[in-house]
Amino acid sequence: MVANAVVPAVFVFGDSTADVGTNNYIKDTKAKANFPQNGIDFPGSVPTGRFSNGFNSADFLAQQMGFNSSPPPFFTLMKGKLGLHKHDVLRGVNFASGGSGLLDATGKGPFVLYLLGARKFGIISIPPIGCCPSHRIFNDTSAGGCLEGLNEYSRLFFLSIGTLLQQLSSELKDMKYSLGNTYDMVSFLLNNPLPISKEVRSACCGSGKFNGEDKCNPTAQLCPNRDEYLFWDLHHPTQAAAQLAVLTLYEGGPEFVAPINFKELVEAN
């Protein structure tokens, strides 16, 4: 996993946008990505449990920090062992799981991690979820516009998490953080189509209207020009979109990531 890492370890917490195979080990979840289409652009063209046609945001962030890819999922380290080996954990672990959500107590997570020794936190906010193909299908207009009511929740979350992080950083010595404004990042792509986002309404892999009526599964329709799509499936970005997002998080300006970008966070003393 390690190439020329500039940080000692990376620990990933999140949902399906950062899941690198956790849900492969959870029998009772319907949130699965171990189908042939998922991973079609991953090395070896194999499904890994990523909700993507290739690498996802956790992979690209880890690569920016000198690793080959995201740290492995927690259950991979547990498989066949009575417990985790210390040297495995210290290289990093990915705890992200498709279908996971936020609780009122989630905000305590950074504080708990701080007590365990974490000092640098890279936080990615929620994109305009009302613009996902899965929600566009419920817009009554023929153009399939975004559901702005849902987008308002995304905007409010960004403001809330920003306030929380400012408070924590003022209270906790040596804590540093970067907060990525994914809402504005995706909104920019929606309003300024780039080569990787020629198609911003429909998913590359799915079925029905905008390919947003069912998840990417063995019977789903698959687009041939995957690098021109913003959305891979009804909820998740393509590999190309995830890579662009990470490049913005890592080296972008304060309009997209603040108070410092992820590169400055990594290099901070």
Side-chain angles (χ1 to χ4, degrees):
M1 186 185 73
V2 179
N4 295 299
V6 293
V7 295
V10 175
F11 295 90
V12 181
F13 299 86
D15 59 11
S16 51
T17 57
D19 189 340
V20 294
T22 295
N23 281 23
N24 288 347
Y25 298 90
I26 303 177
K27 294 181 180 180
D28 297 330
T29 181
K30 295 181 179 179
K32 298 283 190 181
N34 54 344
F35 304 120
Q37 292 93 329
N38 291 291
I40 190 172
D41 296 311
F42 194 82
S45 296
V46 295
T48 62
R50 289 166 170 82
F51 294 78
S52 170
N53 55 306
F55 288 115
N56 64 21
S57 58
D59 294 306
F60 287 123
L61 277 172
Q63 288 170 5
Q64 288 292 325
M65 298 176 196
F67 296 89
N68 295 326
S69 63
S70 165
F74 173 76
F75 289 122
T76 298
L77 297 177
M78 288 291 292
K79 187 179 179 182
K81 300 177 181 178
L82 294 177
L84 295 174
H85 288 314
K86 184 177 180 180
H87 69 277
D88 289 333
V89 175
L90 293 180
R91 294 190 183 111
V93 182
N94 187 318
F95 296 97
S97 173
S100 61
L102 294 171
L103 302 174
D104 290 339
T106 302
K108 298 178 183 179
F111 178 72
V112 174
L113 292 171
Y114 178 89
L115 294 179
L116 293 173
R119 291 295 181 269
K120 298 181 180 181
F121 299 82
I123 311 294
I124 303 174
S125 69
I126 299 175
I129 53 178
C131 297
C132 293
S134 58
H135 293 128
R136 285 183 184 270
I137 64 174
F138 297 109
N139 190 298
D140 294 333
T141 66
S142 59
C146 303
L147 296 185
E148 291 304 325
L150 290 177
N151 287 347
E152 180 64 16
Y153 286 111
S154 298
R155 291 189 287 267
L156 290 173
F157 176 82
F158 175 75
L159 294 174
S160 296
I161 195 67
T163 299
L164 173 65
L165 289 170
Q166 287 180 355
Q167 179 180 344
L168 285 174
S169 64
S170 67
E171 296 174 355
L172 302 179
K173 181 182 178 181
D174 298 331
M175 175 187 168
K176 294 180 174 63
Y177 73 91
S178 296
L179 174 59
N181 188 344
T182 317
Y183 186 93
D184 282 354
M185 289 164 56
V186 174
S187 295
F188 179 85
L189 289 177
L190 293 172
N191 296 314
N192 300 276
L194 300 176
I196 70 114
S197 59
K198 288 183 178 179
E199 176 52 65
V200 299
R201 296 188 305 166
S202 296
C204 175
C205 184
S207 61
K209 186 178 180 180
F210 300 128
N211 264 356
E213 295 183 16
D214 201 1
K215 61 185 178 181
C216 184
N217 57 39
T219 61
Q221 301 179 65
L222 181 65
C223 72
N225 49 337
R226 295 178 288 276
D227 287 347
E228 296 180 1
Y229 276 65
L230 175 60
F231 292 100
W232 163 243
D233 60 15
L234 70 175
H235 298 304
H236 307 97
T238 58
Q239 172 178 256
Q243 185 176 32
L244 179 60
V246 165
L247 290 174
T248 304
L249 290 169
Y250 209 75
E251 298 187 348
E255 69 274 24
F256 293 129
V257 56
I260 56 178
N261 60 35
F262 278 46
K263 184 174 187 292
E264 292 168 324
L265 179 68
V266 167
E267 295 175 348
N269 293 326

